[in-house]
Amino acid sequence: MPNNQSIVVWSKQGCSYCNEVKTYLEEKGLPYQTIDVTENDDRRDILEAKYGIRHVPVVEIGQGNAYEAVTEVGIEHLEKTLASN
């Protein structure tokens, strides 16, 4: 992944898959930002407007204004998207 790309993890407290995603990124040495939707329904509204979903985790990978979102559950989907960027 090029250095100029960023990763944003939309997550909530108590979400085991959210924690799995963060652990995976940390093990790979990939820095990321977290947007916590716990008790912030307005942030879920943003996810719904962008991707038509309200669930987390959602992992956005990209740069500038161009991001690709991983919305499917499963580390294999994250790995595939990271490999293609």
Side-chain angles (χ1 to χ4, degrees):
M1 186 173 86
N3 291 337
N4 59 347
Q5 288 194 323
S6 64
I7 300 173
V8 179
V9 179
W10 296 70
S11 65
K12 70 176 184 175
Q13 297 170 17
C15 169
S16 62
Y17 182 56
C18 298
N19 291 335
E20 185 180 338
V21 165
K22 292 176 188 178
T23 299
Y24 173 83
L25 293 171
E26 290 164 6
E27 288 174 353
K28 296 293 183 185
L30 299 171
Y32 62 90
Q33 296 176 311
T34 301
I35 297 175
D36 189 345
V37 302
T38 308
E39 300 181 23
N40 293 293
D41 280 343
D42 59 326
R43 294 180 184 164
R44 288 183 185 268
D45 293 342
I46 294 169
L47 286 176
E48 187 170 24
K50 290 172 90 171
Y51 307 114
I53 58 170
R54 294 182 65 81
H55 66 79
V56 291
V58 170
V59 182
E60 295 178 316
I61 304 165
Q63 62 187 20
N65 291 326
Y67 280 78
E68 183 174 352
V70 179
T71 59
E72 299 91 353
V73 174
I75 292 295
E76 66 274 9
H77 300 290
L78 177 58
E79 289 176 326
K80 181 180 175 183
T81 303
L82 286 169
S84 68
N85 284 298

